[in-house]
Amino acid sequence: LTETSTSTGMGVPELVIPKRGLGNVLYDSTSKTLKIGTKTFARSLNDITEIKKFTQLIFILRILNDLQDLGAYETDRGIYYIGTKYQIPGTNSTMFIKSENEEGGQKESDDIIIDTETFLGRFREELKIISSVKGHVVGQVTITGHTKSKEHHIDCRKVGAEGMRLEGDISRSKIIECKGKFVLVVEKDAVFKRLSEDEFFDTYNCVLVTASGMPDRATRYFIRKLHEEYHIPILVLTDFDSWGHYIYGVYRTGSMNLAFESPRLACPSAQFLGVSYQDVDKYGFTSDKTNEKDLKRAEEMLAYDWFKEPFWQDQLTQFIKREKKTVIDVMGAKGYKFLQNTYLPDKLKSLGLIP
């Protein structure tokens, strides 16, 4: 917290925060991860356009202080609701606007929480904020689960086809044992369940993970931790489309919005398993027509430094040229078990992971 001078000579509180987004994200070719740059912006009570967000950030800091004192945790969703009930003194407004759109109002509070993390240089879990978790794991790994006073050991071979939901407080997460030879990260929950139901993790001695689309922080942290502690390959399976390719990039290099967290969340050694356009051609997979958003996303990605490798320039260029996308699910047309009995074994053999 700094001060800026005014015409009266009195200091006005000012918060200097690192900028987020593409304009302040750097790709480090050595670590192969995204990093936040040196650009900053100021939130000051002397700037009428920033007063509201300045006040909201101070409100979040007050909540965090209370949580530290109580030794309690709160969800990001819970903080949003606290803000919708808190009326700003002297006004008819609440700290956060309650929106009929489930995501609309919370985006405002989520952005302030991320600003708070970058301002303090601390991860939200350290600040006792827990985010929603989409990640599930099943297979040859034993992890911890926690209640208020107890730690439980969970054998993920015995958790059913749905898998074990990862913990929101990733700072407490521990991997007790991992016997898997590799980790297969699957973009889609339905494909994860299909492989889990078929006990693919026993057949090929591996760990299956999904975040049901764009990965959340807990899933990314868990995958990186598995690789760091057990030095096993991380393989990522996504659709052949610009969104699937971007999801792989988030696992490998980090996300633009959370670039400051890449040192803890990104896994630069993660390998892209498929689906590639070469797979589409080789196996004759059915494809669907792309839309404008698909193509725009691919064109944006072509310009990103972390997609400048020849392989990705080729994949994205072909995606745009063909104007076709292929989802993993189409493999069902080749046979109910084509994915687990043919496609994935072929891929694993090509990497030398199975004989």
Side-chain angles (χ1 to χ4, degrees):
L1 186 64
T2 62
E3 290 186 348
T4 55
S5 61
T6 66
S7 58
T8 63
M10 297 179 63
V12 176
E14 179 181 78
L15 298 168
V16 179
I17 304 170
K19 284 187 175 181
R20 293 184 285 114
L22 183 59
N24 195 36
V25 169
L26 306 174
Y27 176 62
D28 186 331
S29 58
T30 302
S31 66
K32 294 186 178 180
T33 62
L34 300 183
K35 292 185 177 181
I36 197 162
T38 58
K39 296 178 182 178
T40 61
F41 68 96
R43 290 214 165 115
S44 170
L45 288 178
N46 202 32
D47 184 345
I48 194 169
T49 64
E50 294 289 345
I51 288 176
K52 181 180 180 182
K53 291 185 177 180
F54 180 98
T55 306
Q56 289 172 331
L57 198 150
I58 297 299
F59 177 75
I60 296 291
L61 290 174
R62 173 183 158 183
I63 291 175
L64 298 182
N65 185 68
D66 291 343
L67 292 175
Q68 296 295 326
D69 289 344
L70 294 170
Y73 288 82
E74 186 54 85
T75 64
D76 47 15
R77 185 73 171 161
I79 289 176
Y80 159 66
Y81 279 117
I82 292 170
T84 63
K85 296 296 183 182
Y86 180 85
Q87 186 166 331
I88 301 173
T91 74
N92 294 320
S93 301
T94 55
M95 189 60 67
F96 297 120
I97 299 172
K98 193 172 190 327
S99 173
E100 295 300 323
N101 179 349
E102 185 174 343
E103 297 180 355
Q106 190 176 336
K107 184 181 185 309
E108 182 182 35
S109 60
D110 284 348
D111 285 345
I112 298 299
I113 289 173
I114 296 175
D115 281 347
T116 306
E117 288 181 282
T118 55
F119 171 66
L120 295 176
R122 302 284 293 276
F123 301 118
R124 67 179 61 187
E125 292 77 19
E126 297 173 297
L127 304 173
K128 299 193 177 295
I129 301 175
I130 301 176
S131 299
S132 298
V133 177
K134 301 189 298 177
H136 287 78
V137 58
V138 68
Q140 308 290 333
V141 64
T142 300
I143 63 176
T144 56
H146 291 87
T147 53
K148 184 177 181 180
S149 60
K150 295 181 180 179
E151 179 177 281
H152 309 273
H153 291 187
I154 301 163
D155 184 345
C156 293
R157 296 171 300 172
K158 303 175 182 179
V159 294
E162 297 285 333
M164 172 68 188
R165 182 183 286 272
L166 296 172
E167 285 194 291
D169 182 7
I170 57 180
S171 64
R172 296 195 298 176
S173 175
K174 297 178 185 176
I175 300 169
I176 303 302
E177 181 182 43
C178 179
K179 296 181 178 180
K181 291 184 177 179
F182 61 90
V183 179
L184 177 59
V185 183
V186 183
E187 176 186 350
K188 293 183 171 180
D189 179 61
V191 177
F192 168 86
K193 289 177 182 175
R194 187 198 312 173
L195 294 174
S196 177
E197 184 69 42
D198 205 47
E199 298 181 341
F200 183 87
F201 56 87
D202 274 341
T203 304
Y204 293 102
N205 191 23
C206 68
V207 179
L208 298 176
V209 179
T210 187
S212 304
M214 188 61 66
D216 56 294
R217 304 147 68 103
T219 307
R220 291 166 58 195
Y221 178 78
F222 176 72
I223 289 168
R224 180 183 172 102
K225 200 169 184 180
L226 264 176
H227 177 69
E228 282 187 336
E229 295 183 8
Y230 291 91
H231 310 291
I232 55 178
I234 307 297
L235 313 176
V236 183
L237 176 67
T238 75
D239 294 337
F240 173 66
D241 66 9
S242 50
W243 307 103
H245 296 160
Y246 187 78
I247 285 171
Y248 164 72
V250 171
Y251 280 117
R252 185 183 69 161
T253 61
S255 70
M256 288 185 284
N257 203 37
L258 299 177
F260 66 97
E261 290 197 338
S262 292
R264 187 174 70 159
L265 300 182
C267 188
S269 60
Q271 301 176 64
F272 180 73
L273 191 66
V275 175
S276 66
Y277 77 81
Q278 289 93 339
D279 295 335
V280 175
D281 294 345
K282 176 181 178 180
Y283 296 102
F285 293 145
T286 303
S287 298
D288 298 314
K289 180 73 175 173
T290 54
N291 58 43
E292 186 178 337
K293 289 184 178 179
D294 297 331
L295 296 175
K296 181 181 178 182
R297 188 50 155 164
E299 288 167 356
E300 291 170 346
M301 291 167 63
L302 279 171
Y304 296 161
D305 288 342
W306 52 104
F307 281 101
K308 288 293 187 182
E309 297 167 3
F311 173 82
W312 283 111
Q313 290 289 299
D314 184 33
Q315 293 296 316
L316 293 166
T317 299
Q318 283 292 324
F319 177 74
I320 294 169
K321 180 180 178 180
R322 295 174 180 221
E323 296 188 353
K324 295 286 185 179
K325 56 187 176 183
T326 302
V327 298
I328 304 167
D329 311 71
V330 304
M331 296 187 197
K334 295 286 184 181
Y336 293 125
K337 294 192 175 183
F338 179 85
L339 172 65
Q340 52 266 54
N341 288 353
T342 302
Y343 178 79
L344 288 175
D346 285 354
K347 285 288 187 175
L348 296 174
K349 287 176 185 176
S350 71
L351 294 174
L353 291 173
I354 62 172

